[in-house]
Amino acid sequence: IGLLDALEIDKAVFIGHDWGGFVAWAMPILHPDRVLGVGGVCTPYMPFPTTDLLRQLFPDPEKMYMLWFQEPGVAEGRLNEQVDLVFEKLFVGGTDPAILMERAMKRAEETGEGPDLNPFANLADLESIGAPLLSGAELQTYVDTFSTTGFAGGVNWYRNIDANAAKYPGVGNDVVTHPALMLCAEWDPVLSPAMAAGMPALCSDLEMHTIEQAGHFVQIEKPEAVSSLIGDWMQRRFPV
């Protein structure tokens, strides 16, 4: 809102990916008079997850990255020591979920442990399956930037999920009446298309698309498809 005011813009369309998606989806609920439309890339319109819910699903916080992020100093301390690995191992293209499930089951059989949804804790041992998405120069830009800033700022988003859920209970629950766009990535293992199945009941003016054979970073992996779908929707819903 401060940015809109500074630029003297009355209303805008807000589209976000991952945590940026949660921010975008909150806009029509918290500031409906400043929003023309809203969209999510991978991130569906849903309530903030809470640590209580996550602990019910994952009793061992080491096995769930959002819970592992909660203790100040732990996650950022580990990540700040291996900035290059964060982007080398995680910024990769999508992989068929069937292959990921097969590997996860094999790992569970070998270790005798349940699902592990915390790739950040042991990046050095993490097997990269998808193709790298960043060029050498792009990778170095990320590494240089986060070597300076560290990861505390990003991790703090996760430490605020309970406060956000308590302060903004309408986000993810109240109906969005603005024009809405949802772009799913078929092979996103974190925010799967199935998570968006309930959105038609919560968004009264919704358009949905699934980009095939793309993973979590679909906007990097298939930028032409993402840009085309957003551009087409914008031109139809908000003609100049």
Side-chain angles (χ1 to χ4, degrees):
I1 297 302
L3 182 60
L4 291 180
D5 291 342
L7 296 175
E8 298 182 346
I9 296 174
D10 182 37
K11 297 182 179 182
V13 175
F14 295 88
I15 298 176
H17 171 262
D18 201 277
W19 270 123
F22 275 97
V23 176
W25 287 117
M27 288 298 295
I29 302 301
L30 303 181
H31 305 283
D33 59 327
R34 307 300 299 273
V35 176
L36 283 173
V38 62
V41 178
C42 296
T43 312
Y45 179 58
M46 62 183 185
F48 291 101
T50 63
T51 56
D52 284 344
L53 173 62
L54 294 173
R55 288 190 180 97
Q56 293 177 33
L57 300 173
F58 300 92
D60 182 359
E62 292 283 330
K63 300 300 183 182
M64 206 295 155
Y65 70 97
M66 292 189 193
L67 294 175
W68 186 65
F69 283 174
Q70 295 304 308
E71 185 65 30
V74 174
E76 59 266 48
R78 186 86 58 87
L79 299 176
N80 290 346
E81 294 175 351
Q82 44 191 345
V83 177
D84 54 340
L85 285 180
V86 173
F87 299 103
E88 288 176 4
K89 293 296 186 75
L90 299 182
F91 272 47
V92 295
T95 300
D96 189 332
I99 296 175
L100 296 178
M101 179 61 69
E102 179 182 348
R103 295 187 179 223
M105 292 178 64
K106 180 179 179 181
R107 183 169 59 248
E109 291 176 358
E110 293 174 347
T111 63
E113 300 177 349
D116 188 342
L117 294 184
N118 186 8
F120 300 95
N122 297 291
L123 284 169
D125 298 327
L126 182 66
E127 179 183 8
S128 292
I129 302 175
L133 293 178
L134 302 178
S135 67
E138 291 168 336
L139 174 64
Q140 194 59 50
T141 297
Y142 279 100
V143 171
D144 291 345
T145 300
F146 281 85
S147 293
T148 300
T149 65
F151 287 91
V155 173
N156 281 339
W157 268 102
Y158 294 88
R159 295 182 182 134
N160 208 49
I161 55 178
D162 287 339
N164 280 333
K167 188 172 183 179
Y168 308 111
V171 176
N173 292 302
D174 292 351
V175 173
V176 172
T177 58
H178 294 70
L181 175 68
M182 179 63 207
L183 300 184
C184 300
E186 181 186 15
W187 288 353
D188 189 339
V190 181
L191 296 168
S192 70
M195 296 177 68
M199 285 185 61
L202 289 169
C203 300
S204 62
D205 186 359
L206 175 65
E207 183 173 321
M208 299 179 69
H209 299 276
T210 296
I211 298 174
E212 297 180 352
Q213 298 184 5
H216 182 65
F217 296 105
V218 60
Q219 74 277 21
I220 302 176
E221 187 175 6
K222 297 199 173 183
E224 295 86 1
V226 173
S227 296
S228 177
L229 288 167
I230 293 176
D232 175 68
W233 177 72
M234 292 277 290
Q235 289 176 359
R236 284 186 287 107
R237 299 313 307 269
F238 314 103
V240 177

